[in-house]
Amino acid sequence: MKKEMYILFTAGRGPVECCLAVKGVQNKFRKYLDVKNIKHKILSQKNGDFNGSIETIILKIYSGDKSVIEPWLGSIQWICKSPIRKFHKRKNWFIKCQEIGMPQNVEMDKSDVVIQAYRASGPGGQHRNKVETAIRIIHKPSGIIVTASDGKSQIQNKKKAWQKLEDKINEENEKLKSGFISEQWLSQITIERGNPVKTFRGLKFTY
């Protein structure tokens, strides 16, 4: 089973009221996850034109249980008189909640790395400079290079270098996901006005 899921809430190309709906609904969704003790975080967010509104938001959910998100997937309705356009007659606003895929992670496989030992330079004693205690690890698929030279032995430096590589790859994966352009999904999303999976009402988004 997957360890994580990614959820997109979007106003699509709807008016600013739909962006307010995204703000309110995603708040309710995150509280719903909190009640279920499911960890989550905002991966990326595009704000709407109106202060406090959200056009699109992507959440990373640390769970692979699809039943958690299924009740939210689809068009979501917000019934509320526009708090922005005072004389606007429309009261029904629709947004979309959809599970999305993410770019594949950079994996850390030992067969993909080159480990090099070399002499450490700088302070550390004569013996340290004569022996190849420093370690350089090159991750070929990503081009990431890490080094460790402040340990007293090659074993210590190798351990530190591996940890640095793991941290760098995790950082790269987060950048990959954070830089994911939600418009790639928006071009595929159609927000149906009708048959909502959930309906919220008023500025407090009561359900």
Side-chain angles (χ1 to χ4, degrees):
M1 187 172 69
K2 292 187 299 183
K3 293 182 180 179
E4 56 202 32
M5 297 177 288
Y6 299 90
I7 301 299
L8 178 144
F9 286 92
T10 182
R13 290 170 177 79
V16 68
E17 288 85 358
C18 292
C19 297
L20 289 175
V22 170
K23 173 73 171 180
V25 172
Q26 64 88 31
N27 273 335
K28 289 289 183 180
F29 178 71
R30 291 168 67 193
K31 287 177 183 177
Y32 161 81
L33 293 178
D34 288 339
V35 169
K36 291 185 172 289
N37 293 316
I38 295 174
K39 286 178 63 179
H40 60 279
K41 74 172 185 178
I42 296 173
L43 197 63
S44 68
Q45 179 175 318
K46 183 179 180 181
N47 294 329
D49 294 333
F50 185 76
N51 186 34
S53 66
I54 299 174
E55 185 177 310
T56 299
I57 187 168
I58 298 174
L59 302 172
K60 179 179 181 179
I61 301 170
Y62 294 89
S63 170
D65 185 359
K66 190 74 176 280
S67 65
V68 171
I69 63 168
E70 278 179 342
W72 295 77
L73 299 178
S75 294
I76 297 175
Q77 182 182 22
W78 180 40
I79 301 174
C80 184
K81 183 175 173 57
S82 173
I84 303 168
R85 295 182 284 176
K86 193 173 181 180
F87 300 105
H88 201 281
K89 293 181 180 180
R90 183 175 162 188
K91 294 182 181 179
N92 293 292
W93 317 97
F94 290 88
I95 65 170
K96 185 73 174 283
C97 174
Q98 181 170 320
E99 182 182 9
I100 63 173
M102 277 290 172
Q104 204 167 20
N105 279 348
V106 175
E107 299 293 340
M108 192 171 79
D109 193 315
K110 289 186 178 182
S111 64
D112 290 331
V113 304
V114 174
I115 302 176
Q116 299 172 340
Y118 63 97
R119 292 182 186 179
S121 59
Q126 189 177 6
H127 174 72
R128 181 169 176 256
N129 291 334
K130 285 182 179 179
V131 181
E132 294 182 336
T133 56
I135 293 294
R136 179 188 298 111
I137 299 180
I138 304 167
H139 185 252
K140 292 183 289 184
S142 65
I144 294 172
I145 300 173
V146 296
T147 61
S149 60
D150 56 349
K152 292 182 179 180
S153 69
Q154 193 178 101
I155 292 173
Q156 288 179 343
N157 284 327
K158 189 177 286 187
K159 186 176 179 180
K160 289 182 179 182
W162 273 112
Q163 185 59 56
K164 281 185 179 181
L165 180 61
E166 186 177 345
D167 292 343
K168 283 278 188 182
I169 286 178
N170 288 336
E171 186 182 322
E172 193 69 22
N173 285 330
E174 287 302 311
K175 282 181 182 177
L176 193 66
K177 293 187 177 82
S178 297
F180 181 77
I181 302 171
S182 59
E183 279 75 6
Q184 292 180 23
W185 288 94
L186 295 181
S187 63
Q188 305 170 30
I189 290 175
T190 301
I191 299 178
E192 183 183 355
R193 294 185 63 187
N195 301 316
V197 294
K198 286 187 180 294
T199 300
F200 294 90
R201 291 176 170 83
L203 294 175
K204 293 185 177 181
F205 286 83
T206 55
Y207 178 61

